[in-house]
């Protein structure tokens, strides 16, 4: 294993029972693949190297029981560091850690912890306290685990509240969507009913117009037939007055002519003319007939009395 890369030299040469000492090797990265091939190495010392971070697959070394990462330049631990569930002893002295991952709360078997000489968050530093002896380091492990569990619980509650809020929001959106769909259905139903009512009114109007047209046509047909008969009936009365007036005029004209002729034959010198003699004779006969008729009428009237 060459310095810096951690490759080239067999790790088995550094394995002593279940302890693997990689301290003071000037490592910039952890040889995770080689370490995974040594499940017997439950105690791993990586102190006094140049480690700035641990790779995410480092958390697959779940066989580790004791881990020494002191005196490196670690700024943070992997988010799933809590996968190292068999870890009991953890030394993080003199690094650059500010916080710990929430998964740290899953290290249920952790019994010893040293976080001295790190720029820790004030709350975390107060919880961890000093690790000047075995008792203090054990208390630090217990208190930090409790603190991280509390943070995890709070995050879980926040996540649950967020999830609940998202569910309620989703329910609200679904309810609004259902209400919107119901409103749209109601609107379509109302529009359909209005359209149907409009079509029904148009149909009724067309039907009424058709019936009115049929009545009008029938009435015009009846009227066109009636005037033929009614026009014939009033026709004679219209013509009768005109014919009677014409006849009356003719009779008056004839009477006038007769009177003129009679006057001429009676009063003028034409009375000795043959025509006037005939006229005078006829006039005298008519007058005699009228007198006889009047005499007869008077006799009849006297007898009836």
């Amino acid at each position: 294993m060459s310095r810096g890369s951690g490759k080239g030299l067999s790790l088995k040469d550094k394995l002593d029972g279940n302890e693997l000492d990689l301290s003071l090797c000037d490592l910039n990265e952890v040889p995770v693949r080689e370490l995974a091939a040594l499940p017997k190495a439950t105690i791993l010392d990586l102190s006094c190297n140049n480690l700035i971070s641990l790779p995410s697959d480092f958390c697959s070394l779940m066989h580790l029981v004791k881990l020494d990462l002191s005196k490196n330049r670690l700024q943070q631990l992997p988010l799933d560091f809590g996968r190292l569930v068999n870890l009991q002893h953890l030394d993080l002295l003199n690094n650059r850690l500010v916080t710990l991952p929430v998964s740290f709360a899953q290290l249920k078997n952790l019994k010893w912890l040293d976080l001295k000489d790190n720029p820790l968050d004030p709350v975390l530093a107060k919880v961890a306290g000093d690790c000047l002896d075995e008792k203090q380091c054990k208390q630090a492990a217990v208190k930090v685990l409790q603190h991280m569990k509390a943070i995890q619980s709070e995050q879980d509650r926040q996540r649950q509240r967020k999830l609940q809020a998202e569910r309620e929001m989703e329910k609200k959106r679904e309810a609004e969507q259902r209400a919107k769909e119901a409103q749209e259905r109601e609107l379509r139903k109302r529009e359909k009913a209005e359209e149907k009512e409009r079509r029904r009114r148009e149909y009724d109007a067309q039907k009424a117009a058709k019936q009115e047209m049929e009545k009008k046509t029938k009435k015009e047909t009846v009227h066109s037939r009636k005037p033929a008969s009614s026009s014939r009936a009033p026709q004679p009365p219209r013509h009768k007055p005109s014919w009677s007036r014409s006849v009356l005029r003719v009779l008056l004209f004839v009477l006038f002519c007769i009177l003129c002729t009679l006057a001429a034959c009676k009063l003028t010198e034409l009375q000795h003319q043959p025509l006037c003699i005939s006229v005078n004779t006829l006039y005298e006969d008519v007058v005699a007939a009228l007198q006889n008729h009047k005499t007869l009428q008077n006799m009849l009237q006297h007898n009836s009395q």
Side-chain angles (χ1 to χ4, degrees):
M1 180 175 64
S2 62
R3 293 182 181 274
S5 64
K7 298 179 180 179
L9 183 62
S10 175
L11 297 182
K12 291 182 180 181
D13 296 337
K14 289 186 172 289
L15 182 62
D16 183 9
N18 64 342
E19 297 183 14
L20 180 61
D21 188 1
L22 297 180
S23 63
L24 301 169
C25 290
D26 198 23
L27 295 177
N28 294 322
E29 58 183 24
V30 180
V32 177
R33 185 174 298 179
E34 290 81 355
L35 291 173
L38 297 173
K40 292 183 180 181
T42 58
I43 300 175
L44 177 62
D45 189 353
L46 291 169
S47 63
C48 302
N49 283 292
N50 298 318
L51 300 176
I52 297 176
S53 63
L54 298 177
S56 59
D57 57 351
F58 181 84
C59 301
S60 65
L61 303 176
M62 299 174 62
H63 60 278
L64 294 178
V65 174
K66 184 176 180 178
L67 176 61
D68 190 349
L69 292 168
S70 62
K71 299 181 181 180
N72 279 279
R73 293 184 294 167
L74 294 173
Q75 298 178 2
Q76 61 182 7
L77 297 178
L79 294 178
D80 55 349
F81 192 80
R83 291 176 59 193
L84 302 175
V85 292
N86 293 313
L87 197 61
Q88 299 179 14
H89 185 108
L90 178 60
D91 193 345
L92 293 170
L93 171 71
N94 194 12
N95 278 278
R96 299 178 181 178
L97 297 172
V98 177
T99 60
L100 297 175
V102 178
S103 64
F104 199 91
Q106 299 173 12
L107 301 177
K108 58 183 179 179
N109 292 314
L110 190 65
K111 302 293 189 299
W112 193 97
L113 177 64
D114 189 356
L115 286 171
K116 290 191 310 296
D117 299 330
N118 280 281
L120 295 174
D121 177 79
V123 176
L124 180 59
K126 184 177 180 180
V127 170
D130 294 327
C131 182
L132 302 177
D133 54 31
E134 189 75 13
K135 182 178 179 180
Q136 288 182 346
C137 292
K138 289 182 178 180
Q139 288 178 348
V142 173
K143 291 180 179 179
V144 169
L145 282 178
Q146 290 177 348
H147 176 69
M148 298 309 298
K149 286 179 180 178
I151 293 176
Q152 186 180 45
S153 298
E154 180 61 25
Q155 288 187 354
D156 289 342
R157 284 193 293 271
Q158 290 179 358
R159 190 162 43 250
Q160 288 295 328
R161 286 194 294 267
K162 184 178 179 181
L163 183 61
Q164 183 66 23
E166 290 177 353
R167 289 176 179 173
E168 290 178 357
M169 185 63 67
E170 183 64 24
K171 289 181 180 179
K172 184 178 179 181
R173 284 196 294 267
E174 291 177 356
E176 290 177 352
Q177 183 66 24
R178 287 194 296 270
K180 183 179 179 181
E181 291 176 355
Q183 186 176 4
E184 290 177 352
R185 285 195 300 270
E186 185 65 23
L187 180 60
R188 288 194 297 269
K189 185 178 179 181
R190 185 163 57 251
E191 289 177 350
K192 187 176 180 180
E194 290 176 354
E195 177 65 17
K196 186 175 181 180
E197 182 63 22
R198 185 186 64 81
R199 292 171 57 188
R200 182 182 289 110
R201 287 196 300 267
E202 290 180 354
Y203 173 79
D204 293 340
Q206 291 177 358
K207 187 176 180 181
K210 185 177 180 181
Q211 292 176 350
E212 186 66 23
M213 184 64 68
E214 290 177 353
K215 289 180 180 179
K216 186 176 180 181
T217 305
K218 187 176 180 181
K219 188 175 181 180
E220 289 178 353
T221 304
V222 172
H223 286 174
S224 63
R225 292 177 180 176
K226 282 185 177 180
S229 58
S230 61
S231 60
R232 291 193 198 98
Q235 200 76 13
R238 286 187 193 147
H239 291 292
K240 281 183 180 180
S242 60
W243 280 106
S244 60
R245 283 194 294 270
S246 299
V247 172
L248 181 60
R249 288 174 184 173
V250 171
L251 291 176
L252 290 174
F253 179 73
V254 171
L255 181 59
F256 178 74
C257 292
I258 292 174
L259 291 175
C260 290
T261 303
L262 184 60
C265 290
K266 285 287 187 180
L267 301 176
T268 64
E269 295 178 353
L270 296 175
Q271 59 183 343
H272 299 292
Q273 294 295 327
L275 180 59
C276 287
I277 294 172
S278 299
V279 170
N280 291 330
T281 302
L282 180 61
Y283 173 72
E284 291 176 356
D285 293 338
V286 170
V287 170
L290 289 174
Q291 289 178 350
N292 293 331
H293 177 68
K294 188 174 181 180
T295 302
L296 180 59
Q297 187 176 2
N298 289 332
M299 291 177 62
L300 292 173
Q301 185 177 1
H302 180 70
N303 291 331
S304 64
Q305 291 178 353

